[in-house]
């Protein structure tokens, strides 16, 4: 029914050694690059359109593009005045006013129409990577596991300004409220459909790159003298922190957004990933 191409490189490196009689360490790293492209689907011109709930956004899969790419309107700033609107390509989608988002005339026909929709983002990252560090000093041990994702986009649909009772993003403090006040944030008005989910655009695109400390564990293994007194073969205590810190660029709870095979990377307000702190004992009698 079709052909899909994935090209990339997978690398993994590791090293371990000892320093004197008390120290030991191990370091490992991995890197995976990927370039995704649909070669063919059923027949020429065929497109898989996978919509989200309420048709907020359509993810497109078609030959010549990455799978599940985001489809919508490219931005060209904010309408500043009535004369600005008059001198811009005619928007046939809906009535626009100063303070509204201005879309690009992609096909160059002098009008803003549905035909101006195009690829506005790719949910597939350019590469993923990870690091693991293990340290040991006498009876102490420390391990740190880290990972990251780079080069993908996220489409935000959880905060599209449909209802005035919802809190707004902090960026909306810099909204348009008069000519020359903003070229990136539209007017704060729920009546302007061009600025909401009705017309998917680059305005809702976010950088999906992130770096996360996935796990940290510090442990201590008791020596044989104490174990003999306690009549144990082994005793280790540890503290563990899972997902203690994430550096991200998107405004949602988490940058790790799932989905289906042809519609993923759509941030519809998933449950946040918790940080979990635990304490444990490993006993062997």
């Amino acid at each position: 029914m079709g052909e899909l191409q994935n090209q990339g490189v997978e690398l993994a490196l590791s090293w371990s050694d000892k320093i004197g009689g008390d120290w030991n360490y191990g370091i490992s790293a991995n890197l995976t690059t990927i370039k995704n492209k649909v070669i063919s689907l059923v027949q020429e011109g065929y497109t898989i359109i996978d919509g989200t709930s309420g048709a907020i956004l359509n993810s497109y899969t078609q030959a010549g593009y990455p799978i599940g790419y985001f489809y919508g309107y490219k931005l060209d700033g904010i309408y500043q005045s009535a004369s600005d609107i008059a001198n811009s390509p005619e928007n046939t989608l809906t009535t626009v006013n100063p303070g509204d988002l201005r879309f690009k005339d992609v096909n160059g026909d002098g009008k803003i129409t549905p035909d101006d929709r195009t690829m506005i983002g790719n949910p597939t990252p350019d590469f993923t990577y990870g690091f693991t560090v293990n340290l040991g000093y006498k009876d102490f041990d420390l391990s740190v596991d880290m990972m990251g994702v780079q080069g993908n986009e996220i489409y935000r649909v959880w905060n599209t300004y449909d209802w005035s009772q919802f809190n707004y993003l902090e960026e909306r403090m810099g909204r348009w409220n008069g000519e020359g006040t903003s070229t990136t944030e539209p007017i704060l008005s729920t009546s302007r459909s061009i600025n909401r989910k009705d017309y998917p655009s680059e305005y809702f695109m976010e950088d999906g790159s992130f770096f996360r400390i996935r796990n940290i564990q510090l442990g201590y293994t008791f020596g044989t003298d104490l174990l003999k007194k306690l009549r144990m073969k082994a005793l280790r205590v540890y503290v563990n922190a899972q997902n203690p810190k994430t550096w991200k660029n998107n405004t949602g709870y988490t940058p790790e957004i799932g989905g289906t095979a042809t519609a993923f990377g759509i941030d519809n307000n998933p449950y946040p990933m918790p940080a979990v702190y635990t304490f444990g004992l490993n006993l062997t009698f």
Side-chain angles (χ1 to χ4, degrees):
M1 301 299 289
E3 184 179 356
L4 182 69
Q5 182 185 72
N6 288 308
Q7 293 180 320
V9 176
E10 294 185 10
L11 298 173
L13 299 172
S14 62
W15 176 265
S16 61
D17 201 353
K18 292 183 177 181
I19 302 176
D22 296 329
W23 286 92
N24 64 83
Y25 69 93
I27 302 173
S28 63
N30 62 81
L31 173 71
T32 300
T33 67
I34 183 171
K35 185 176 182 181
N36 173 270
K37 183 179 179 180
V38 179
I39 304 301
S40 64
L41 280 177
V42 185
Q43 61 188 25
E44 185 177 354
Y46 189 88
T47 302
I48 297 174
I49 303 175
D50 196 344
T52 60
S53 60
I56 296 173
L57 171 76
N58 286 326
S59 295
Y60 270 48
T61 299
Q62 57 187 182
Y65 293 89
I67 189 170
Y69 73 87
F70 299 132
Y71 185 74
Y73 297 94
K74 286 186 172 293
L75 290 184
D76 194 25
I78 303 290
Y79 291 115
Q80 298 296 319
S81 63
S83 61
D84 188 12
I85 296 175
N87 293 320
S88 300
E90 179 189 0
N91 193 317
T92 66
L93 305 174
T94 185
T95 301
V96 292
N97 295 284
D100 288 339
L101 295 174
R102 178 171 56 197
F103 296 156
K104 287 185 178 180
D105 178 19
V106 173
N107 62 5
D109 63 358
K111 298 180 180 181
I112 305 300
T113 69
D115 291 335
D116 290 310
R117 290 176 296 175
T118 185
M119 178 177 172
I120 59 174
N122 183 4
T124 301
D126 295 329
F127 62 89
T128 62
Y129 59 96
F131 303 97
T132 301
V133 177
N134 296 297
L135 297 174
Y137 176 71
K138 294 184 177 180
D139 295 325
F140 288 94
D141 62 88
L142 173 68
S143 64
V144 182
D145 183 23
M146 301 158 282
M147 58 88 68
V149 172
Q150 187 69 35
N152 62 303
E153 280 83 42
I154 291 174
Y155 193 91
R156 183 186 74 247
V157 299
W158 58 266
N159 189 282
T160 52
Y161 319 127
D162 279 348
W163 308 98
S164 59
Q165 68 265 31
F166 285 169
N167 290 330
Y168 294 100
L169 293 175
E170 184 179 359
E171 288 81 357
R172 298 295 277 155
M173 295 292 290
R175 67 197 180 279
W176 186 94
N177 55 28
E179 187 172 354
T181 54
S182 178
T183 58
T184 57
E185 287 293 332
I187 190 172
L188 190 62
S189 173
T190 58
S191 64
R192 306 287 186 92
S193 62
I194 195 72
N195 305 324
R196 303 200 317 264
K197 67 182 182 182
D198 308 63
Y199 300 94
S201 71
E202 287 181 317
Y203 178 70
F204 301 102
M205 296 299 309
E206 298 184 337
D207 183 6
S209 304
F210 71 93
F211 178 76
R212 169 174 290 152
I213 299 178
R214 189 159 50 183
N215 202 80
I216 302 176
Q217 185 171 119
L218 176 63
Y220 180 80
T221 302
F222 287 88
T224 55
D225 293 339
L226 178 61
L227 294 177
K228 290 179 180 179
K229 296 178 181 180
L230 298 177
R231 296 184 179 181
M232 295 180 181
K233 289 186 178 180
L235 173 60
R236 179 176 178 270
V237 296
Y238 66 90
V239 291
N240 192 87
Q242 183 180 358
N243 304 317
K245 181 63 178 179
T246 300
W247 289 268
K248 63 185 183 67
N249 300 308
N250 69 307
T251 53
Y253 286 125
T254 176
E256 290 187 286
I257 310 296
T260 67
T262 54
F264 52 99
I266 302 172
D267 188 354
N268 197 19
N269 200 22
Y271 192 81
M273 181 174 292
V276 181
Y277 301 92
T278 56
F279 168 80
L281 297 169
N282 297 129
L283 305 174
T284 303
F285 294 97

